[in-house]
Amino acid sequence: MTSEEKRLIADCRIMIIGASDFIDCVKAELDKSGFKPINIVSGNDVHTEIGPIDMVAEYTGEACTHVKGNAPIPIIYPFDFVDGAGAIVIMPGDDNELQHKDNLRLWAAEYMAGYCAFWNVEGCEWLQLALPAIREAKTSEAAQRTAAHICAKIAANIAVGRNVKQFPRFYLSKNLE
C-alpha cells in the first residue's frame, strides 16, 4: 500500500451502524486497516440525515435500522453466515432496495446461495448447508471476524478509489479461521 493510499484511508470517515459484538469486530478490523475517524451508532439512533461521513458499514442483525433512501455515501452490509461470511455494497446513486427487507441477513444468505447454485459457483456449498442455522438466527464468532475482515478490505478499496463489487454482485467467503 502506498503512502497516498494510507493517507486516503486514514482521512476516510466511516460510520458503523448496529448493536452487538459484531460491531466491535468490524471496528477492530477497520482500525487495523488504518481507518481512524470511526463512529459507532446504535441501530436505534440512525436518522435519515447522515452526518459528515464518507462511508457506512451496517450490521443487519437485531435492533438494526437500515440507512434510509439513496444515501450519498457507500454502504457496506457485512453478514455473519455461521460457517462463513458475506457482504453487499451499495454505492451512491444505486437503488438501496435492501432497506426494505425485513430479515436482510436471511434474505442475503438465500440470495447468495441461490446465485451460487444457479451459476454452479464452486466452493459455496457451505452456505447452502448453513441456511438452517441462519434461519434459526445462530451466529458464529469466526464468521463475525471473517465478515469484519471482508468489510474492512472493501472499505479500504473504496477509500482509495479501487473498483468494488456492488449489488447485485456480492462478496462471499468461508470462515478464515
Side-chain angles (χ1 to χ4, degrees):
M1 190 176 303
T2 67
S3 58
E4 175 62 13
E5 289 174 330
K6 288 178 185 177
R7 186 195 62 76
L8 288 169
I9 290 170
D11 290 346
C12 185
R13 299 162 300 183
I14 188 162
M15 178 188 297
I16 306 170
I17 301 173
S20 82
D21 293 339
F22 191 13
I23 296 306
D24 293 335
C25 288
V26 174
K27 183 182 183 307
E29 284 291 328
L30 288 169
D31 192 52
K32 279 196 279 185
S33 295
F35 289 91
K36 296 304 173 212
I38 302 172
N39 298 324
I40 298 177
V41 179
S42 165
N44 297 328
D45 295 335
V46 178
H47 305 287
T48 54
E49 290 288 324
I50 297 176
I53 57 172
D54 299 318
M55 199 179 322
V56 170
E58 181 174 351
Y59 172 53
T60 58
E62 72 286 342
C64 189
T65 304
H66 301 302
V67 175
K68 299 290 189 270
N70 295 329
I73 53 173
I75 303 167
I76 305 167
Y77 294 102
F79 302 102
D80 163 353
F81 290 150
V82 184
D83 295 327
I88 293 176
V89 177
I90 304 293
M91 295 301 280
D94 289 351
D95 181 24
N96 188 0
E97 63 188 67
L98 302 182
Q99 69 181 333
H100 303 295
K101 307 290 183 196
D102 287 333
N103 185 339
L104 184 53
R105 178 181 179 236
L106 177 59
W107 178 88
E110 290 173 341
Y111 168 74
M112 292 178 192
Y115 179 97
C116 290
F118 182 82
W119 292 105
N120 295 315
V121 178
E122 292 186 24
C124 297
E125 300 78 21
W126 63 267
L127 180 56
Q128 190 71 37
L129 296 172
L131 284 175
I134 295 167
R135 287 185 185 108
E136 294 173 14
K138 292 183 179 175
T139 61
S140 156
E141 286 183 27
Q144 291 176 1
R145 287 189 299 274
T146 301
H149 181 77
I150 292 169
C151 182
K153 294 294 183 192
I154 294 167
N157 284 332
I158 292 170
V160 300
R162 291 189 190 113
N163 287 333
V164 296
K165 296 179 194 176
Q166 58 194 81
F167 186 75
R169 296 170 60 209
F170 54 85
Y171 293 85
L172 189 62
S173 173
K174 193 163 181 172
N175 284 338
L176 300 174
E177 300 172 6

